[in-house]
């Protein structure tokens, strides 16, 4: 066997190794060449010196510089704009931010007021004198409404433009020119939008009266023209229609979201003019304007509720934004001491007496003798709030309450103060006989009786029964000025009674330090001072109540909205005279109504007598001051009467004033108010079934 030689094998391996080394060397040479070429190109592109010392300049150097400048410029502009935007954003956030935020909040925030219901006013038997009926006022914010209509109409038209209906598209996006549709300009689109908003506003103005009328509601005074004027007004709030039924208002607001139905209370006065001088009324804004409604407004009005909610630009409530809810607290219900039936009778009787007598006006007050509660307080020419008040005012009617606001000189009706003082001080007795002349001189002032007479032996009871000025001053002199002034104060002359009614007058009484001799010659006979009808009733109430004067009250009870009866302050009281002196004085003044066919023992007011009952009272005739001369007139008088029924068991006090009557209250002769007292007292005694009085011996007025 033959094997290859070892030499040949080594040669072959050496050849192969040499070939590998040559190949590696060539690859390395080629890499080095490529690297040198790349280096040369790089230096050339950068303008750097090459290995051979030659410097190559890039052929595109001018174009590259321009490009770089453009890039730099754009960058600078972008930075400036970014800076401006940042500054603007900061300005808006820091400087304008709070105001813009406030404006945005005001635009979307609505505050709703839930009015409290005004309390009911009732008489002592629960009869309604004034109550509240729910209604609605249709209101609008014209500026906001027009903006909302504009935004909503614009949105609706834009949405319509996306539909395929060509009529809707043509109405906003395009306009018709000839037989072709072309795109409208911005000005033309603005005109189209304005026309459609105006059309919608006109539709609202027309539809509101139409809907109200369709429900048989009175639309007197409601016109589309007036509503349209309000809708176009430059204001934030307008009342379109008042006193709309809630259901009708709801129908309108459902159809017209821009119109709001504000809660409104309609105050009802079911008895018309009866008691209106006491009750008064509220204004269109729901605030007390006259009478009890005004003086007790806070008690009756309650507290309104409130809530806040955000609204969308289309006037829709944004869910979940209702907040700050405060419930309304309704006003208190008040029960007055007034007796509606009695008030009606007295008021009608006064109106008839005024017509019969030709008096300028008249007033009357009826008090409960034991509590001083006002059972009736009436005046003539009281307005009916349910009728045209403007026309009534032109006719001389008013909301005033002269019984508490208009004082007058009482005349002889005030002589009871002198009588009570004399009896209390033990300076006389009812049956003491006084020799009364026809006139008397006091501090240089001569005072006469109303009739001519010589010296007459009048008893003290007779002095007042006959209404002798001279005899009264004789008794007043026994009291003296200081003591008489004290009794005036005790009886409340020159002081307000504190009645829960507005504008009460305290009357007029000269201060003690300002008295002259002539003052004391006038005051005991009821001149030189002024009192109201209510104060006059209060004087007699004190005597009817065993000498204790109680401040007259007109509120019987108050019940708040949750049914709690509120405790009322007790009226102030003054013990004017003793119970014995009061009863003696009341009994003595029965002489005024005493009847005697011969006239000798007859008082000045037999027309006030009521068969079967003892009646105590006093007439008054006070001269008015003539404004032209400043002296007392001989033709103009205030005629008064105040009395107690029945005298033996006092239940009622009635005070009456007639201003310048020409005849009697029944149209007959004389000018006395006594027959009107009889009418009122008889009605009361019969209605309440008051037992008849015991028979008594006649009172001696004139000694024989």
């Amino acid at each position: 066997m033959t094997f290859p030689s070892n030499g040949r094998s080594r040669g072959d391996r050496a050849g192969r190794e040499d070939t590998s080394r040559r190949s590696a060397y060539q690859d390395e040479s080629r890499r080095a060449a490529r690297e040198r070429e790349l280096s040369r190109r790089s230096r050339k592109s950068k303008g750097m010196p090459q290995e051979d010392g030659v410097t190559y300049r890039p052929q595109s150097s001018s174009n590259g510089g321009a490009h770089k400048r453009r890039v730099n410029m754009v960058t600078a502009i972008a930075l400036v704009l970014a800076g401006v935007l940042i500054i603007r954003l900061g300005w808006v956030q820091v400087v304008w931010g709070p105001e813009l935020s406030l404006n945005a909040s005001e635009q979307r925030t609505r505050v709703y007021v839930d009015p409290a219901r005004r309390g009911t006013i009732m008489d002592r038997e629960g009869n309604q004198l004034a109550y509240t009926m729910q209604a609605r006022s249709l209101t609008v914010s014209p500026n906001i409404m027009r903006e909302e209509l504009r935004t909503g109409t614009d949105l609706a038209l834009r949405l319509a433009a996306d539909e395929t209906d060509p009529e809707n598209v043509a109405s906003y996006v395009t306009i018709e020119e000839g037989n072709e549709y072309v795109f409208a300009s911005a000005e033309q689109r603005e005109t189209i939008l304005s026309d459609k908003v105006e059309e919608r506003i006109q539709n609202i103005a027309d539809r509101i009266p139409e809907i109200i009328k369709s429900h048989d509601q009175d639309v007197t005074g409601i016109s589309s023209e007036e509503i349209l004027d309000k809708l176009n007004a430059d204001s934030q709030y307008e009342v379109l229609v008042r006193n709309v039924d809630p259901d009708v208002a709801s129908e309108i607001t459902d159809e017209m979201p821009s119109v709001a139905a504000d809660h409104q209370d309609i105050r009802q006065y079911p008895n018309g003019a009866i008691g209106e001088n006491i009750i008064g009324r509220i204004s269109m804004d729901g605030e007390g304007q006259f009478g009890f409604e005004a003086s007790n407004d806070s008690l009756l009005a309650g507290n309104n509720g409130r809530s806040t909610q955000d609204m969308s630009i289309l006037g829709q409530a944004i869910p979940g934004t209702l907040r700050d809810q405060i419930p309304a607290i309704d006003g208190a219900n008040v029960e007055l001491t007034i007796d509606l039936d009695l008030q009606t009778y007295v008021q009608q009787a006064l109106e008839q007496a005024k017509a019969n007598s030709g008096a300028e006006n008249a007033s009357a007050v009826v008090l409960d003798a034991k509590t001083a509660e006002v059972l009736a307080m009436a005046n003539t020419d009281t307005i009916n709030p349910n009728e045209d008040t403007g026309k009534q005012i032109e006719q001389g009617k008013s909301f005033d309450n002269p019984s508490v606001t208009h004082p007058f000189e009482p005349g002889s009706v005030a002589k009871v103060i002198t009588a009570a003082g004399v009896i209390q001080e033990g300076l006389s007795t009812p049956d003491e006989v006084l020799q009364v002349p026809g006139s008397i001189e006091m501090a240089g002032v001569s005072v006469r009786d109303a009739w001519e007479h010589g010296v007459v032996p009048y008893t003290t009871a007779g002095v007042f029964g006959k209404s002798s000025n001279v005899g009264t001053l004789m008794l007043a002199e026994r009291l003296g000025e200081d003591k008489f002034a004290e009794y005036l104060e005790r009886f409340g002359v020159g002081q307000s009674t504190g009645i829960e009614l507005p504008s009460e007058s305290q009357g007029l009484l000269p201060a003690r330090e300002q008295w002259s001799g002539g003052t004391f010659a006038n005051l005991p006979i009821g001149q030189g001072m002024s009192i109201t009808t209510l104060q006059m009733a209060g004087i007699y109430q004190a005597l009817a109540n065993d000498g204790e004067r109680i401040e007259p009250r007109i509120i019987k009870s108050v019940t708040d909205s949750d049914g709690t009866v509120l405790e009322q302050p007790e009226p102030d009281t003054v013990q004017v005279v003793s119970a014995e002196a009061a009863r003696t004085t009341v009994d003595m003044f029965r002489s005024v109504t005493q009847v005697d066919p011969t006239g000798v023992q007859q008082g000045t007011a037999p027309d006030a007598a009521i068969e079967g009952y003892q009646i105590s009272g006093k007439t008054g005739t006070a001269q008015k001051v003539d404004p032209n001369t400043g002296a007392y007139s001989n033709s103009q008088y205030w005629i008064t009467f105040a009395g107690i029924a029945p005298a033996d068991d006092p239940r009622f006090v009635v005070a009456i004033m007639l201003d310048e009557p020409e005849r009697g209250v029944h149209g007959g002769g004389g000018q006395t108010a006594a027959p009107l007292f009889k009418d009122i007292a008889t009605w009361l005694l019969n209605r309440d079934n008051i037992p008849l009085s015991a028979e008594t011996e006649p009172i001696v007025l004139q000694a024989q």
Side-chain angles (χ1 to χ4, degrees):
M1 170 180 278
T2 302
F3 292 96
S5 68
N6 290 337
R8 185 177 179 182
S9 298
R10 285 193 298 268
D12 290 340
R13 285 195 299 270
R16 286 194 296 270
E17 292 174 358
D18 184 60
T19 302
S20 297
R21 282 194 295 268
R22 284 196 301 270
S23 176
Y25 175 78
Q26 291 172 354
D27 290 341
E28 183 66 24
S29 298
R30 283 194 293 271
R31 277 197 302 273
R34 282 197 299 271
E35 289 176 0
R36 285 195 297 271
E37 178 64 20
L38 289 175
S39 175
R40 183 184 65 80
R41 290 180 180 178
S42 175
R43 289 173 175 272
K44 183 178 181 180
S45 64
K46 296 179 180 179
M48 297 175 63
Q50 305 300 311
E51 287 89 344
D52 55 4
V54 179
T55 299
Y56 294 92
R57 300 294 181 187
Q59 295 180 357
S60 59
S61 61
S62 59
N63 293 335
H67 174 73
K68 185 176 182 180
R69 286 194 297 272
R70 285 195 297 270
V71 170
N72 291 340
M73 183 177 296
V74 171
T75 302
I77 293 173
L79 291 174
V80 170
L81 290 176
V84 170
L85 290 175
I86 292 172
I87 293 173
R88 175 72 172 180
L89 180 61
W91 184 269
V92 170
Q93 289 287 342
V94 177
V95 180
W96 291 351
E99 183 178 355
L100 292 174
S101 178
L102 178 62
N103 290 339
S105 177
E106 290 178 349
Q107 289 175 2
R108 69 174 181 269
T109 301
R110 301 287 176 84
V111 177
Y112 298 99
V113 176
D114 181 16
R117 174 173 288 196
R118 195 172 183 84
T120 298
I121 303 175
M122 299 168 285
D123 81 335
R124 64 189 303 113
E125 300 297 331
N127 297 306
Q128 290 182 329
L129 303 176
Y131 66 93
T132 296
M133 184 176 71
Q134 282 192 351
R136 298 292 184 270
S137 288
L138 299 179
T139 64
V140 70
S141 173
N143 292 341
I144 295 177
M145 180 208 69
R146 289 194 298 271
E147 187 61 31
E148 288 177 349
L149 287 178
R150 182 180 184 84
T151 302
T153 302
D154 179 64
L155 178 59
L157 292 174
R158 288 181 183 277
L159 292 174
D162 291 335
E163 301 296 331
T164 58
D165 187 345
E167 292 183 0
N168 288 334
V169 174
S171 66
Y172 187 65
V173 177
T174 61
I175 58 174
E176 186 176 3
E177 289 186 358
N179 296 324
E180 296 182 356
Y181 287 103
V182 297
F183 282 104
S185 65
E187 183 178 351
Q188 290 169 326
R189 288 198 299 273
E190 177 66 24
T191 300
I192 293 172
L193 180 59
S194 297
D195 289 344
K196 285 196 171 291
V197 170
E198 184 177 339
E199 179 183 333
R200 293 186 65 180
I201 292 175
Q202 181 66 59
N203 181 65
I204 294 173
D206 292 337
R207 282 289 291 157
I208 289 176
E210 182 181 325
I211 294 174
I212 294 175
K213 187 176 181 180
S214 69
H215 288 271
D216 297 325
Q217 275 202 266
D218 184 14
V219 292
T220 303
I222 303 174
S223 69
S224 297
E225 292 75 15
E226 291 180 356
I227 294 176
L228 183 62
D229 289 342
K230 292 179 179 179
L231 293 176
N232 286 318
D234 182 15
S235 71
Q236 296 298 324
Y237 184 81
E238 292 288 338
V239 178
L240 302 179
V241 186
R242 297 183 187 273
N243 303 341
V244 180
D245 182 271
D247 292 336
V248 178
S250 179
E251 180 179 337
I252 292 173
T253 55
D254 287 345
E255 181 177 324
M256 308 167 198
S258 296
V259 178
D262 291 352
H263 183 102
Q264 179 195 357
D265 289 337
I266 302 177
R267 199 64 166 168
Q268 297 290 317
Y269 300 99
N271 305 295
I274 301 301
E276 185 59 26
N277 58 305
I278 300 170
I279 303 164
R281 76 164 187 182
I282 63 174
S283 66
M284 294 297 290
D285 295 326
E287 297 179 351
Q289 194 170 20
F290 300 101
F292 190 85
E293 295 270 32
S295 61
N296 293 272
D297 186 61
S298 59
L299 179 66
L300 293 165
N303 297 313
N304 292 338
R306 297 173 67 88
S307 62
T308 304
Q309 190 166 29
D310 292 340
M311 307 294 289
S312 72
I313 195 170
L314 297 180
Q316 298 173 326
I318 300 175
T321 61
L322 185 62
R323 59 193 182 278
D324 301 335
Q325 293 177 279
I326 302 174
I329 301 176
D330 292 337
N333 296 322
V334 180
E335 182 180 317
L336 299 183
T337 60
I338 296 298
D339 182 319
L340 180 58
D341 291 340
L342 175 62
Q343 178 73 25
T344 301
Y345 178 82
V346 173
Q347 199 160 330
Q348 292 174 344
L350 272 182
E351 292 289 357
Q352 191 62 53
K354 176 192 173 185
N356 291 340
S357 67
E360 292 291 323
N361 55 72
S363 63
V365 172
V366 180
L367 299 181
D368 183 297
K370 298 302 183 182
T371 66
E373 291 179 347
V374 179
L375 303 179
M377 179 183 289
N379 308 298
T380 54
D381 300 316
T382 296
I383 272 183
N384 183 343
N386 301 324
E387 298 178 359
D388 189 324
T389 57
K391 289 183 179 179
Q392 293 181 81
I393 290 173
E394 292 176 359
Q395 296 168 358
K397 297 181 182 294
S398 74
F399 287 100
D400 198 6
N401 189 3
S403 294
V404 297
T405 61
H406 288 31
F408 53 86
E409 292 196 7
S412 296
V413 75
K415 289 176 180 176
V416 73
I417 297 175
T418 301
V422 168
I423 296 298
Q424 174 65 32
E425 298 299 326
L427 300 175
S428 185
T429 60
D431 56 1
E432 179 189 357
V433 177
L434 306 174
Q435 300 300 321
V436 181
S439 63
I440 189 173
E441 294 288 331
M442 291 185 67
V445 177
S446 178
V447 179
R448 298 178 177 275
D449 279 334
W451 68 100
E452 293 291 335
H453 67 83
V455 176
V456 180
Y458 288 134
T459 62
T460 297
V463 165
F464 299 107
K466 292 292 186 178
S467 196
S468 169
N469 292 334
V470 175
T472 300
L473 290 176
M474 291 171 62
L475 292 168
E477 284 186 312
R478 296 182 183 182
L479 272 176
E481 294 185 10
D482 290 337
K483 184 60 72 172
F484 182 71
E486 181 182 324
Y487 278 102
L488 289 174
E489 181 179 355
R490 290 184 186 180
F491 276 101
V493 178
Q495 307 164 43
S496 63
T497 67
I499 192 75
E500 307 97 322
L501 293 171
S503 305
E504 183 189 11
S505 171
Q506 63 183 15
L508 178 64
L509 177 66
R512 175 68 185 89
E513 56 271 16
Q514 296 176 347
W515 287 18
S516 64
T519 302
F520 194 49
N522 282 326
L523 292 178
I525 59 176
Q527 297 214 173
M529 64 178 176
S530 295
I531 60 176
T532 64
T533 310
L534 179 61
Q535 288 173 319
M536 182 167 67
I539 292 171
Y540 281 76
Q541 180 276 325
L543 296 172
N545 188 41
D546 291 336
E548 183 182 50
R549 179 170 65 86
I550 304 174
E551 284 188 343
R553 301 287 88 185
I554 204 165
I555 293 180
K556 188 171 182 64
S557 68
V558 177
T559 305
D560 67 15
S561 58
D562 64 5
T564 303
V565 178
L566 305 180
E567 185 177 353
Q568 299 301 300
E570 290 294 327
D572 291 339
T573 62
V574 177
Q575 192 68 41
V576 179
V577 294
S578 67
E580 295 76 12
R583 285 193 291 269
T584 298
T585 304
V586 170
D587 189 60
M588 183 168 62
F589 271 68
R590 290 190 297 111
S591 61
V592 175
T593 63
Q594 184 167 281
V595 179
D596 178 13
T598 68
V600 176
Q601 306 300 335
Q602 181 166 293
T604 57
D607 290 341
I610 300 174
E611 186 176 355
Y613 293 97
Q614 295 180 23
I615 300 299
S616 179
K618 186 70 188 76
T619 57
T621 302
Q623 294 172 287
K624 298 181 72 174
V625 174
D626 188 331
N628 297 320
T629 64
Y632 281 115
S633 171
N634 291 319
S635 60
Q636 297 173 311
Y637 301 92
W638 285 294
I639 303 299
T640 56
F641 189 94
I644 301 167
D648 57 321
D649 182 20
R651 295 287 298 275
F652 308 106
V653 172
V654 181
I656 299 167
M657 187 281 293
L658 300 174
D659 186 1
E660 296 187 34
E662 299 173 359
R663 302 171 295 279
V665 295
H666 292 160
Q671 295 174 314
T672 178
L676 182 56
F677 167 86
K678 178 180 179 179
D679 293 340
I680 296 172
T682 299
W683 189 91
L684 276 166
L685 295 170
N686 289 339
R687 188 197 67 169
D688 291 356
N689 295 317
I690 303 302
L692 297 176
S693 300
E695 292 187 7
T696 59
E697 292 294 324
I699 298 174
V700 176
L701 277 64
Q702 180 175 329
Q704 300 296 319

